[in-house]
Amino acid sequence: MLNRLVRLVIGLVLFGAGCGVMVQAGIGLDPWTVFAQGLSIQTGVGIGWITNIVGFLVLLLWIPLRQRPGIGTVANILLVGTSMQATIAVVPAVEGWAWGVVVFLAGLVLVAGASGLYIGARLGPGPRDGLMTGLNGRFGWPLWACRLGVEASVLVAGWLLGGTVGVGTVLFAALIGPLVHIAVPLLDSQREPRRRSLREPVAP
């Protein structure tokens, strides 16, 4: 259990750091971060703190959907936005579009790897993922439709509030799924160790 908790905390902190790096790249963001950025622009509250607040408000939507949060759900709300805010405070904004793409991709890879860690810990989904599965379980809507509807809504709302939509938004949509698909099996805390081949030498 301790190992899973450590993986969870490290994964969530790195996830927030990756999101912060993508914010500083300045070429576009994933839908939920576009929404948080838009709210941040309108309120003057840091985007990381807004991320935490939005996570808590989304968690409240779990109640009518009859979803139960886990340790990982609560930790997600507390750590991701905090780590994002800290990263933005120390990582300068990127100048130049080409360099922005490079930095964004680095942040995206970090987010994917971090997702593998915290999902692999199996201590509860994040509030936003739980919202998608909750809508699917409560109303029987296809999971892809739940995700598309919610993320399209927050993307448009964030853009109208002033959030950054751009090539980074497209890159995130195209690459995050395949990258997480690779990361989760590699970093799953309960995956079985690879069986030693009969041809492999035995360590002395």
Side-chain angles (χ1 to χ4, degrees):
M1 182 63 175
L2 179 60
N3 176 58
R4 293 166 64 194
L5 285 171
V6 171
R7 292 162 61 90
L8 173 71
V9 171
I10 293 174
L12 292 175
V13 169
L14 291 179
F15 188 98
C19 290
V21 169
M22 291 191 294
V23 169
Q24 297 302 74
I27 63 168
L29 298 163
D30 66 277
W32 282 103
T33 310
V34 170
F35 182 58
Q37 187 182 49
L39 289 174
S40 176
I41 291 170
Q42 296 301 319
T43 63
V45 178
I47 185 173
W49 308 131
I50 291 289
T51 297
N52 287 347
I53 294 168
V54 169
F56 173 75
L57 295 176
V58 170
L59 184 61
L60 295 180
L61 296 177
W62 284 31
I63 297 173
L65 297 175
R66 300 173 186 173
Q67 291 282 90
R68 291 185 178 181
I71 296 173
T73 311
V74 177
N76 186 296
I77 295 171
L78 296 174
L79 294 177
V80 170
T82 304
S83 177
M84 183 192 303
Q85 191 68 34
T87 301
I88 291 172
V90 299
V91 175
V94 174
E95 296 183 4
W97 185 85
W99 183 233
V101 171
V102 173
V103 172
F104 182 92
L105 290 174
L108 180 59
V109 171
L110 183 57
V111 164
S115 297
L117 277 174
Y118 89 77
I119 293 172
R122 303 188 182 210
L123 290 172
R128 297 157 188 81
D129 289 330
L131 176 61
M132 316 296 180
T133 57
L135 289 170
N136 169 258
R138 187 77 173 84
F139 300 107
W141 300 337
L143 192 57
W144 66 266
C146 297
R147 180 171 293 277
L148 178 62
V150 171
E151 292 192 348
S153 298
V154 297
L155 178 65
V156 171
W159 176 67
L160 292 174
L161 290 169
T164 306
V165 177
V167 66
T169 310
V170 177
L171 288 172
F172 188 94
L175 298 177
I176 191 62
L179 288 173
V180 171
H181 182 74
I182 294 170
V184 169
L186 290 175
L187 299 170
D188 190 338
S189 64
Q190 297 184 22
R191 75 186 184 100
E192 295 182 359
R194 185 175 63 90
R195 292 183 178 179
R196 184 177 60 84
S197 168
L198 293 176
R199 295 184 179 180
E200 291 179 1
V202 179

